[in-house]
Amino acid sequence: MSFPRRKFLTAAAVLLATALSHSAFAADVAGIRFDDTATVGGQVLKLNGAGVRTKIVFKVYALGLYLPEKKTAVADVLATQGARRIQIVSMRDLTSDEFGDAFMKGLNSNTDQAERTRFLPQTKTFGEMFASLSGLKKGDVLLVDWVPGTGTVCTLNGRKIGETVQDVAFYNAILRIWLGENPADNSLKGKLLGGH
């Protein structure tokens, strides 16, 4: 083997290893890996941030936020055009009531009375979705995607659940559960906005 060819093969191997290490995952959160990118509605999104939701001392779930481009301010996240994704990986077994109650508490804590009234049909749709589930098992992956032209689409372990909700304001209200003035977890909020 000639020197230039060996040099080329070594360089190619280094490039391949680098590419694989960057594409495999971007964040390891308490042993849960979040991919660098995700494709939603044909659009490639980047991991904006990821962290763990803890309650008292218990790790409840890991959450990753995917956006078309990195954002560090809540207003910029909410104003984002295009697809978005919330990826939730359960770190313990949760009943549908526990998850649904936490969702409603987070929604109510970060919306005003007028918004809560406006979102009643969408909230009912989500309530029916939670009621249809037996709960989340440790390791389950719940995706809550905003797909432009389609709406909010939820999948659990790759299977679509619930009805599609066609209101971007409601999707933003869901985001505010973790990014609003009264987030579910302040530490998680900072991590979702790119903090460490």
Side-chain angles (χ1 to χ4, degrees):
M1 183 184 290
S2 69
F3 177 73
R5 184 170 175 206
R6 183 180 299 135
K7 193 172 181 180
F8 170 78
L9 290 175
T10 302
V14 170
L15 284 173
L16 180 62
T18 303
L20 289 174
S21 69
H22 286 296
S23 64
F25 66 96
D28 185 317
V29 178
I32 294 170
R33 294 181 177 185
F34 287 89
D35 289 340
D36 211 12
T37 60
T39 302
V40 175
Q43 184 175 6
V44 176
L45 306 180
K46 298 171 185 156
L47 181 63
N48 199 72
V52 174
R53 162 74 170 112
T54 56
K55 190 169 184 183
I56 308 170
V57 295
F58 300 105
K59 293 176 180 173
V60 183
Y61 53 79
L63 188 145
L65 173 64
Y66 291 85
L67 301 172
E69 56 188 42
K70 298 264 189 174
K71 304 287 183 191
T72 57
V74 174
D76 293 337
V77 172
L78 300 179
T80 296
Q81 299 297 305
R84 291 178 270 173
R85 166 171 284 177
I86 301 163
Q87 178 177 335
I88 300 169
V89 182
S90 185
M91 298 181 77
R92 58 192 308 235
D93 291 353
L94 298 167
T95 66
S96 61
D97 284 345
E98 286 173 324
F99 195 74
D101 290 349
F103 177 88
M104 287 307 305
K105 182 180 176 189
L107 203 63
N108 289 336
S109 295
N110 291 283
T111 53
D112 59 30
Q113 184 59 52
E115 287 176 306
R116 288 195 287 276
T117 301
R118 178 185 162 193
F119 295 144
L120 272 175
Q122 296 93 325
T123 304
K124 181 176 181 284
T125 298
F126 264 67
E128 289 166 354
M129 178 183 73
F130 293 132
S132 74
L133 301 174
S134 58
L136 294 179
K137 300 292 182 196
K138 183 176 179 179
D140 279 353
V141 179
L142 176 65
L143 303 178
V144 184
D145 293 340
W146 173 254
V147 183
T150 300
T152 300
V153 179
C154 297
T155 57
L156 179 62
N157 299 326
R159 182 179 60 87
K160 185 179 183 299
I161 55 171
E163 297 298 317
T164 301
V165 177
Q166 300 175 345
D167 185 351
V168 72
F170 183 69
Y171 190 83
N172 280 342
I174 294 171
L175 282 173
R176 283 167 26 214
I177 292 171
W178 300 281
L179 299 178
E181 292 294 315
N182 302 295
D185 186 311
N186 275 305
S187 172
L188 175 58
K189 176 179 176 177
K191 289 180 175 138
L192 295 176
L193 294 172
H196 299 292

